[in-house]
Amino acid sequence: MKVLLPISYLGPVSYFIIILKTENIFIENNEFFVKQSLRNRCSILSANGEQTLSIPKVRKSADKTKISDIKISNSQKWQKIHWQALLSSYNSSPFFEHYKDYFFDFYHTPQSSLFDLNFKLTKTILSILKIEKNINFTTEYE
């Protein structure tokens, strides 16, 4: 069975369940960026309920930009905001202390490409979960 997934910023559990259950995994890297989607946002559970974290992108005049061409805007302090939100929400959770170092550099080193950041985060999560999968990319929009 083949599955085609969008790239995801800290994808939900269901995203990783699909990866776990599938052998032939493709990530779409030729689609146009979709606003307000899991491509640049995620939801975490904070003390005040659900909190959405969003990675700002460099604005372009054209709406139709391939996801693989989206650049991250580092003019805002999004990394600091996301890291503090993750620490505030999960620092007292069991085992967070053991895993937070895997993510530290993502939030303390400037990032340029949204697609690359998301893929590296996905690979990191799969590694932590000890899931070895060969993930392919599409060669054209599917």
Side-chain angles (χ1 to χ4, degrees):
M1 181 169 93
K2 173 183 171 182
V3 68
L4 178 64
L5 295 171
I7 196 70
S8 175
Y9 173 54
L10 297 176
V13 171
S14 58
Y15 187 86
F16 291 94
I17 289 172
I18 291 169
I19 291 174
L20 179 64
K21 291 182 173 184
T22 308
E23 287 304 317
N24 203 4
I25 303 159
F26 284 83
I27 292 184
E28 178 61 74
N29 65 339
N30 290 291
E31 70 174 337
F32 293 131
F33 175 76
V34 179
K35 294 179 182 179
Q36 298 182 354
S37 68
L38 55 83
R39 290 150 188 88
N40 74 319
R41 36 183 91 214
C42 70
S43 295
I44 64 171
L45 189 58
S46 72
N48 298 323
E50 188 175 308
Q51 179 180 356
T52 300
L53 302 177
S54 180
I55 299 174
K57 68 178 189 80
V58 174
R59 300 214 182 270
K60 290 200 166 200
S61 57
D63 286 338
K64 296 190 176 190
T65 305
K66 279 179 31 175
I67 186 69
S68 57
D69 294 334
I70 296 291
K71 299 296 178 201
I72 295 172
S73 173
N74 288 304
S75 63
Q76 303 172 33
K77 304 280 187 211
W78 72 270
Q79 289 173 294
K80 182 178 180 181
I81 292 167
H82 289 210
W83 185 247
Q84 289 303 319
L86 291 168
L87 288 178
S88 175
S89 295
Y90 300 115
N91 210 24
S92 61
S93 298
F95 303 108
F96 184 74
E97 183 177 319
H98 300 287
Y99 298 110
K100 69 181 178 182
D101 291 341
Y102 288 97
F103 300 97
F104 184 87
D105 285 345
F106 291 109
Y107 297 99
H108 292 87
T109 305
Q111 305 291 328
S112 59
S113 167
L114 180 64
F115 190 89
D116 291 346
L117 169 66
N118 288 349
F119 186 64
K120 289 176 190 171
L121 279 166
T122 298
K123 293 295 279 185
T124 298
I125 293 168
L126 291 172
S127 174
I128 290 168
L129 296 172
K130 296 182 179 11
I131 298 172
E132 292 184 27
K133 293 287 181 169
N134 184 26
I135 297 177
N136 306 290
F137 300 108
T138 58
T139 55
E140 58 186 36
Y141 180 70
E142 293 192 32

